[in-house]
Amino acid sequence: MLNRIVYIAATLAANYTATWFIHFPVLRTGPVATFIFGITFTQRIVFTINWDAGNVYIMIAIAAL
């Protein structure tokens, strides 16, 4: 259950921070959401290993809403 909450919260945070940028001296700028999307991808991989595809699709649909 905690993994579901982390996935949904990370998806919402990434969408909210998609237009925020961090300034780096070498790389110039990078969106904050880039770092948060790593959490969502990791959680989704964990879900696909432990659950069937139907439950994963339901969780992704809830996060999309």
Side-chain angles (χ1 to χ4, degrees):
M1 183 67 173
L2 180 62
N3 289 336
R4 293 180 193 177
I5 294 170
V6 169
Y7 175 80
I8 293 170
T11 301
L12 293 174
N15 288 332
Y16 182 70
T17 61
T19 59
W20 298 358
F21 290 93
I22 298 174
H23 297 284
F24 296 108
V26 177
L27 301 173
R28 311 250 172 145
T29 60
V32 175
T34 302
F35 302 105
I36 300 173
F37 277 128
I39 297 169
T40 62
F41 295 143
T42 303
Q43 291 298 321
R44 194 168 57 197
I45 290 169
V46 168
F47 295 141
T48 56
I49 291 171
N50 296 325
W51 296 342
D52 61 344
N55 288 331
V56 174
Y57 292 144
I58 290 170
M59 185 194 60
I60 291 171
I62 290 170
L65 292 175

